[in-house]
Amino acid sequence: MEEYTLKTNFAALEDAQANEYLMDFGQIIEKAFEHSDSRPRLLGNLLVLERYCNTVRQGLAGQGHEAKLSVCLRYAQGLLWDYLGGRVTAADFQDFANDYFAWLLEHCVGPSIDLYESLYAEYFADSCPESYEWFAVEWSSGLLMQLVSIEGGRVDHEDFEECGNLDFYGPLSMLDMLEDVCIYLTDTPVASNRGADLEEAMAQVRKNSLFQEIVMHVQNDLQTALLAAPAEWEALRKEYGQHTILPEQYAARMLEY
């Protein structure tokens, strides 16, 4: 059997193979990036994150909201791109990274630590993410905290005390989430909430061109990150400001799910 890689044609796989590919996708990514340092890994995350955030923005606009992400999320994205380009170090944003993650924890599980008053006023006081924005907050805050940990900075949260390489939690979790969302977006029938019926619906989704295109985007973005030279990073940032993970007509419906 041919070994799965980022170049595998997902749309050509049989049902069982497509499921196996998604189950193994984390290992496939890690093998592709096994000789890469933090910056290609960060670029891969950022390209997919940009697509996702652009779709969320389109969805907000389609629902009649202001088509702008929360202040803290936009600032976090900027920090990550600036780190990639060598304009800042992790030491420059370690206070923000710790507060950003604490703010996320406060939303998810309740108060954790007191936020620095100055940082709260500047980045969090006027931030009120919509539901699908919170995933981007989780994704970007995890990347910032990992970078702080890798560079030996101050880490207030034990989950990040020992980090080796940047992970690909964001793209993998996004695929899992969108596989489920695509059941709704493609009007795929689900006979019941039993596991077997849900799996049958997901098997149908994996045959659908909408989900296949999402997988292709992630594959291509990660390959782009592997091959891009540092001189190309700023051009990619500009280019991916226009890319989305879903066609625009699905963005508002995604936020309704």
Side-chain angles (χ1 to χ4, degrees), residues 106-164:
E106 184 169 349
H107 167 75
C108 295
V109 298
S112 52
I113 65 170
D114 293 333
L115 299 175
Y116 291 98
E117 185 176 349
S118 60
L119 292 181
Y120 183 85
E122 187 170 359
Y123 301 112
F124 306 109
D126 294 329
S127 294
C128 186
E130 299 293 327
S131 57
Y132 280 81
E133 244 185 297
W134 280 112
F135 174 65
V137 169
E138 179 186 9
W139 187 348
S140 57
S141 66
L143 292 173
L144 288 169
M145 287 299 299
Q146 287 179 67
L147 290 172
V148 171
S149 178
I150 289 168
E151 290 202 1
R154 194 192 92 246
V155 174
D156 295 337
H157 310 280
E158 61 182 13
D159 290 350
F160 300 99
E161 286 180 352
E162 295 183 9
C163 292

Side-chain angles (χ1 to χ4, degrees), residues 187-221:
D187 299 314
T188 300
V190 184
S192 74
N193 59 4
R194 293 185 307 172
D197 290 331
L198 182 59
E199 176 52 40
E200 174 58 29
M202 287 185 172
Q204 294 303 312
V205 162
R206 291 191 285 268
K207 296 178 185 176
N208 190 282
S209 60
L210 178 63
F211 183 70
Q212 291 172 351
E213 185 177 85
I214 293 170
V215 175
M216 181 192 70
H217 283 325
V218 176
Q219 291 174 313
N220 290 343
D221 294 348

